Amino acid sequence: MAEPDPPATEPVGKGERTKQRIVAAALELFREHGYEATTMRMVAEAAGVSLGNAYYYFASKDLLLQAFYREVHEAHVAAARAPLAAAKTLHDRLLAVMQCKLAVIEPYHRFSALMFRSAADPASPLNPFHPDGADIAAEGAALFAEALAGSNTKVPKDLAAELPGLLWTYSLGIVLYWIHDRTPQRQGTAKLIERTVAMVTTAVKLASNPLLRPFRKQIVALMQELRPTPAARD
Amino acid sequence: MAEPDPPATEPVGKGERTKQRIVAAALELFREHGYEATTMRMVAEAAGVSLGNAYYYFASKDLLLQAFYREVHEAHVAAARAPLAAAKTLHDRLLAVMQCKLAVIEPYHRFSALMFRSAADPASPLNPFHPDGADIAAEGAALFAEALAGSNTKVPKDLAAELPGLLWTYSLGIVLYWIHDRTPQRQGTAKLIERTVAMVTTAVKLASNPLLRPFRKQIVALMQELRPTPAARD
DNA sequence: GTCTATAACCGGATAGAC
DNA sequence: GTCTATCCGGTTATAGAC
């Protein structure tokens, strides 16, 4: 305990290890007891630090969730890799991405409800529309861009620029439904994904039809208008 | 104070008045300080009751929000009456309903953020998908049904049954955007309403087109499938 | 049995010493 | 960077008043 203990394989900053311990303890406890039932005191104890020290690293309980959020996203990207490589049609590729999402988040169903509660708060960095979460949003859209790019379905150029973002928003809606889904094995959400992916595919194919051009233009114009999100204060 | 005080004009139960006072005090404080900054102790004091007494009537702070929720809905219905009577086209009628909504909720913008935070929690009775709130959902849909009924736009029969509910969901989405809207006078949301109402109107008109029949059927089938919401436990 | 009040409890968050 | 000691506010237990 008294040795200097030089940094061997870990060139990380001083308390970086402590931070990791706290995150690990929190995720473990969240998984086991859910978000609400896990107190900061429990996290601190499990991580072997004091309550105040835990707050030194994470200014709020919500902030601990951000770590979770990122972990889930990375797991989703990883899980989707193989199915995406196998699926060729747009329908199958979208279905693969959504089904992977569902599989990845399932273990957290209980505690995701509370996570979402925080995510809906505009002041929370967990909120999908919050600037701090912009990178996660962009990465989420990127996954859908990949799903689109690998398919043989033709997408009108104007829509192609907006579609990944639209699909990411769609996936948030599915997650919202999933949170409230109390059917066994989340069958309701599974069904919903099947149905809506089919609808999305139909819609994308219809989008090339000249009849729908005005409608498509409306959507694209709206999306472009919404993009910049000037972060004026209240 | 010692008189029996027979019920003159108020046949209300004993503590009904107290309850009213608490709600009134809470709404006032919410409007002024926002939800989070308003403590139950403040509410109790403003209502002239003890903290414990406030909890006797409202088991949680969230429950006070339910009262607010209903008040807002009734104000919305009232505010929409005149504009609805004046507007003839579907576009104008939807726009009227949405603009009234926006006007009615504007004074609560600051505290609605927190309200939504609660509303997103599946366990909260504020949640739009929660059975306890089913009546509010139904009334919300009814308002859109009225907007549809009074217009001269033709809606395919299968879709007509689902459209009010769809439009109510749409309005929830607009509110979600509004909560995050930091533009002056909520211009962003106003613009969004204009744009999306135009799109919705376009979509409803297109829905009669034979080309879109399969897509329409998909939507209707999905809506019907989602309806029963069996409330199985986790 | 209906209502009201006081005194805790608990957990998120903070202040300030070391 | 880490701790201890508090604060603060939602919530609950419980005792009594009408």
Side-chain angles (χ1 to χ4, degrees):
Chain A
M1 299 295 185
E3 290 100 304
D5 187 32
T9 51
E10 296 271 348
V12 292
K14 315 186 184 195
E16 194 61 26
R17 302 292 294 262
T18 310
K19 194 169 176 175
Q20 298 293 344
R21 277 212 319 280
I22 295 172
V23 173
L27 262 54
E28 169 71 27
L29 287 166
F30 286 163
R31 225 165 327 212
E32 193 169 348
H33 305 289
Y35 179 74
E36 198 158 54
T38 301
T39 71
M40 286 297 277
R41 285 162 176 85
M42 284 162 69
V43 172
E45 188 180 7
V49 299
S50 74
L51 175 62
N53 199 8
Y55 273 98
Y56 174 80
Y57 288 103
F58 296 93
S60 77
K61 203 178 169 185
D62 278 10
L63 252 27
L64 273 172
L65 279 176
Q66 263 189 312
F68 159 82
Y69 214 78
R70 179 148 290 283
E71 195 160 290
V72 162
H73 174 69
E74 272 153 24
H76 182 201
V77 171
R81 185 149 303 147
L84 266 187
K88 284 297 155 219
T89 69
L90 177 60
H91 176 273
D92 291 353
R93 291 173 69 81
L94 287 179
L95 193 60
V97 168
M98 293 307 295
Q99 284 175 340
C100 284
K101 177 96 187 184
L102 205 59
V104 166
I105 63 182
E106 181 55 34
Y108 304 95
H109 186 264
R110 208 174 17 147
F111 109 83
S112 285
L114 268 292
M115 181 196 77
F116 188 79
R117 186 175 172 137
S118 294
D121 181 350
S124 164
L126 278 176
N127 169 349
F129 303 109
H130 189 96
D132 284 11
D135 50 342
I136 292 199
E139 286 169 36
L143 187 54
F144 284 103
E146 194 190 328
L148 283 164
S151 88
N152 38 25
T153 297
K154 201 81 177 140
V155 179
K157 223 181 286 157
D158 56 354
L159 184 61
E162 307 297 337
L163 204 44
L166 273 171
L167 289 172
W168 180 73
T169 308
Y170 152 73
S171 75
L172 289 184
I174 297 292
V175 172
L176 177 53
Y177 184 88
W178 170 82
I179 287 170
H180 296 86
D181 187 358
R182 289 290 178 279
T183 59
Q185 284 99 46
R186 245 55 76 187
Q187 291 164 343
T189 307
K191 204 83 178 172
L192 180 65
I193 286 179
E194 280 175 41
R195 295 268 190 270
T196 52
V197 162
M199 284 168 51
V200 167
T201 310
T202 304
V204 169
K205 284 175 180 163
L206 283 170
S208 296
N209 191 295
L211 174 75
L212 294 177
R213 194 188 132 92
F215 189 59
R216 197 181 76 226
K217 287 296 180 195
Q218 279 182 313
I219 292 180
V220 171
L222 177 62
M223 293 300 291
Q224 284 169 349
E225 197 171 296
L226 291 180
R227 196 85 50 75
T229 314
R233 279 292 86 197
D234 213 353
Chain B
M1 299 296 183
E3 290 100 302
D5 189 32
T9 52
E10 296 269 348
V12 293
K14 313 186 184 195
E16 193 62 26
R17 301 292 292 261
T18 311
K19 196 169 174 176
Q20 297 293 344
R21 278 213 318 282
I22 294 172
V23 173
L27 262 55
E28 168 71 26
L29 287 166
F30 286 163
R31 225 167 326 213
E32 193 170 347
H33 305 290
Y35 179 73
E36 198 158 54
T38 301
T39 71
M40 286 297 277
R41 285 162 178 87
M42 285 162 69
V43 171
E45 189 182 6
V49 299
S50 73
L51 176 62
N53 199 8
Y55 272 98
Y56 174 80
Y57 288 104
F58 295 93
S60 76
K61 202 178 170 186
D62 278 9
L63 252 27
L64 274 173
L65 279 176
Q66 263 188 312
F68 159 83
Y69 213 79
R70 179 148 290 283
E71 196 159 291
V72 161
H73 175 69
E74 273 151 25
H76 182 201
V77 171
R81 186 149 302 146
L84 266 187
K88 285 296 154 221
T89 68
L90 177 61
H91 175 274
D92 291 353
R93 291 174 69 79
L94 287 179
L95 193 59
V97 169
M98 293 307 294
Q99 284 175 340
C100 285
K101 176 96 187 183
L102 205 59
V104 166
I105 62 182
E106 180 56 34
Y108 304 95
H109 186 263
R110 210 171 16 149
F111 109 82
S112 285
L114 268 292
M115 181 196 78
F116 188 79
R117 187 174 171 136
S118 294
D121 182 348
S124 165
L126 279 175
N127 170 348
F129 302 110
H130 189 96
D132 283 11
D135 51 343
I136 292 199
E139 287 170 34
L143 186 55
F144 284 103
E146 195 191 327
L148 283 164
S151 87
N152 39 23
T153 298
K154 200 83 176 136
V155 179
K157 222 182 286 155
D158 56 353
L159 183 61
E162 307 298 337
L163 205 43
L166 273 172
L167 289 172
W168 180 72
T169 308
Y170 152 74
S171 76
L172 289 185
I174 297 292
V175 171
L176 177 53
Y177 185 87
W178 170 82
I179 287 170
H180 296 87
D181 186 357
R182 290 290 179 279
T183 58
Q185 285 98 45
R186 245 54 76 187
Q187 292 162 343
T189 306
K191 204 84 181 173
L192 180 66
I193 286 179
E194 280 175 39
R195 295 266 191 272
T196 53
V197 163
M199 283 169 50
V200 167
T201 309
T202 305
V204 170
K205 285 175 180 162
L206 283 170
S208 296
N209 192 294
L211 174 74
L212 294 177
R213 194 187 133 91
F215 188 59
R216 198 181 75 226
K217 287 294 181 195
Q218 279 182 313
I219 291 180
V220 171
L222 177 62
M223 292 300 291
Q224 283 170 349
E225 197 171 294
L226 291 180
R227 195 84 50 76
T229 315
R233 280 292 83 199
D234 212 355

